[in-house]
Amino acid sequence: MKTVIMAGGKGTRVSAIAPDIPKPMLKINGIPVLEHEINCLRRQGFTNFIITVSHLGKVIKDYFGDGRGISPATGRPFGVNIAYYDEEQPLGNAGALLKLRDELRDDFLLLNADSVFDVDFVRMVKFHKEKGGLVTLFTHPNSHPYDSGLIVADRNSAVESWLAKEDERPMFYRNRVNAGIHIINPQILDLANIRPEVVGTTGGDGELVKVDLDRHLLKPLAGSGRMFCYDSSEYVKDMGTPERLRIVEGDFISGRIHAKNLSNKQKAIFLDRDGTINRYVGFLRNIKDFELLDGVAEAIREINASGYLCIVVTNQPVIARGEVSWDELEEIHNKMETLLGQEGAYVDGIYFCPHHPHKGHKGEVADLKTDCDCRKPKPGMLVKAAQDYNIDLKNSWMVGDGENDVQAGIAAGCRTALINNPEIPRRKEEYSPNITVDSLPHFVERVIWK
């Protein structure tokens, strides 16, 4: 599979650091960002590159050459094949793709050269092939979804709508942000209403014809069932400002960037929802009753910074009982993600069990009245998350305010923490959590800050 890397941007926000080199050549721990990208891909078998260059592009070409020969800058080859496309005049962030149409005959990776990442691309390609769409977007939660482009998808991960920063968004939304990494079938270039030969020429209105990747190629596919989002917890961060550059360099030196690659075993903190994240009200049926507990957003923010994944696992028998619809539950979880995002916190995944073993409720959903493997105290949700995120359960925690949470964690092989919630009735039997705490912030203080 070919990889196209767009490296033609000027990087005006970060140019104060090094105005004489292009943004992708800024160094992280002594190595250019673009070299980090190429190395990550080469290690996974991606060795055929096309790099689009413009501003100070000669610096990039002189450093990497064709990727095969000895680099005059480093004295060694890079072990890849590199071709270049020179934008003599600005073509937009996707104009070069139309010019390269004849060279793009199969699915290809499309990346920005100014992002720092370490992604298991083999896993992403597998997802893309299983879905069979024209486009797969790499999406992830971040600490500022309120000013990021958001992707809305259905339960099959098909993109339903694309919300740019400037678009009006709903009151509550999932923290699912487009990270600028794509797998693209070249058929979408044929769907664009712009002919390759007119890109870069002066149009009828006297303006230069440019192609915007999002507006002209990707956003029109939303709702078509041909574009999917690949949700991942892996590290992807733009280094487009001096402050972000400092952050990613610190993350690289600490080893966090590579550790987040899903080919590596992850560690997670699994959280129950009601009574752990939000105020306990019994069966939560009304979205108005959802309120974050004091200090929870800050605690989850600390979990995010610690290297642990933060994953919610919650029994929701209100679905089987017919008291809350699938869409209503999704909206409750959207509220949770929105409130957390406003405080710079996020969860990496949400797993819920909609089943209930006891029949006899008015309006119940008969198909969901079953003794399943996912309802806590069974460990099914934790096991599924471990498969999805390559989690090492023995080095993970299950945190909740009930016996079922502790038992599920023990059954999964996790360490366990019981939140001592006086509103939850307790049985007299002992079920031996590893620690008992007063709240999620107390857990973070005991485990993360120790």
Side-chain angles (χ1 to χ4, degrees), residues 4 6 17 106 127 143 180 247 263 281 317 349 391 415:
V4 178
M6 297 185 290
I17 296 177
D106 302 304
F127 173 92
S143 60
I247 291 172
S263 65
V281 295
I391 295 170
R415 289 172 286 183

Side-chain angles (χ1 to χ4, degrees), residues 163-429:
L163 302 177
K165 294 180 184 180
E166 64 274 13
D167 291 337
E168 183 178 354
R169 57 189 62 194
M171 180 179 295
F172 304 124
Y173 47 83
R174 180 169 178 181
N175 187 340
R176 179 187 270 137
V177 175
N178 178 25
I181 293 176
H182 324 76
I183 300 175
I184 292 179
N185 185 300
Q187 290 180 41
I188 73 162
L189 303 177
D190 302 327
L191 298 176
N193 294 320
I194 303 175
R195 298 192 312 277
E197 63 269 20
V198 306
V199 178
T201 65
T202 302
D205 56 4
E207 293 188 6
L208 195 66
V209 176
K210 301 180 181 180
V211 182
D212 182 82
L213 176 67
D214 294 352
R215 184 162 57 92
H216 291 127
L217 300 183
L218 301 182
K219 197 171 181 179
L221 282 178
S224 69
R226 294 183 291 178
M227 181 164 61
F228 294 84
C229 58
Y230 172 74
D231 294 324
S232 177
S233 59
E234 292 166 299
Y235 192 104
V236 181
K237 194 178 291 290
D238 171 36
M239 36 64 71
T241 67
E243 176 60 25
R244 289 181 184 175
L245 184 62
R246 285 190 289 270
I247 291 172
V248 297
E249 183 155 36
D251 288 340
F252 181 89
I253 293 171
S254 71
R256 184 182 180 193
I257 295 177
H258 180 62
K260 298 288 282 185
N261 186 303
L262 288 179
S263 65
N264 301 314
K265 279 293 184 182
Q266 306 295 302
K267 56 182 181 178
I269 294 175
F270 297 99
L271 300 180
D272 179 41
R273 196 192 76 180
D274 302 321
T276 301
I277 295 175
N278 55 286
R279 184 170 62 89
Y280 179 77
V281 295
F283 287 125
L284 196 155
R285 304 176 179 89
N286 191 323
I287 193 171
K288 295 179 180 179
D289 293 330
F290 185 94
E291 299 176 12
L292 291 179
L293 290 166
D294 290 342
V296 158
E298 182 180 359
I300 292 178
R301 194 164 64 240
E302 293 293 335
I303 293 172
N304 299 149
S306 71
Y308 281 94
L309 299 178
C310 183
I311 297 179
V312 176
V313 286
T314 175
N315 289 347
Q316 290 300 315
V318 288
I319 298 289
R321 290 159 61 103
E323 297 167 342
V324 173
S325 70
W326 295 94
D327 288 343
E328 288 169 334
L329 180 62
E330 182 177 22
E331 190 68 358
I332 289 170
H333 288 155
N334 286 348
K335 181 177 182 179
M336 176 178 70
E337 294 209 55
T338 302
L339 296 178
L340 289 173
Q342 290 170 353
E343 300 295 327
Y346 57 87
V347 297
D348 293 289
I350 301 174
Y351 292 78
F352 63 88
C353 170
H355 306 108
H356 193 265
H358 304 137
K359 299 181 179 180
H361 296 90
K362 183 178 179 180
E364 66 186 21
V365 181
D367 290 346
L368 299 178
K369 286 290 187 171
T370 181
D371 186 11
C372 63
D373 292 327
C374 54
R375 179 177 168 83
K376 295 178 292 185
K378 294 180 180 179
M381 287 185 284
L382 287 79
V383 172
K384 179 64 167 62
Q387 294 169 347
D388 292 344
Y389 290 91
N390 194 20
I391 295 170
D392 179 3
L393 290 169
K394 70 177 181 298
N395 284 318
S396 300
W397 285 85
M398 175 68 224
V399 184
D401 62 347
E403 176 184 3
N404 286 344
D405 302 314
V406 174
Q407 289 184 337
I410 292 172
C414 297
R415 289 172 286 183
T416 58
L418 174 67
I419 293 177
N420 189 19
N421 188 339
E423 298 181 8
I424 303 293
R426 305 288 183 205
R427 296 182 181 178
K428 293 182 179 180
E429 304 96 284

Side-chain angles (χ1 to χ4, degrees), residues 62-101:
D62 287 348
Y63 186 90
F64 292 100
D66 64 5
R68 299 185 302 277
I70 301 296
S71 164
T74 66
R76 55 182 171 77
F78 292 94
V80 297
N81 300 308
I82 301 176
Y84 297 92
Y85 181 85
D86 286 278
E87 292 186 20
E88 296 180 359
Q89 54 186 337
L91 304 179
N93 64 0
L97 295 180
L98 271 73
K99 296 289 189 180
L100 290 166
R101 177 64 182 93

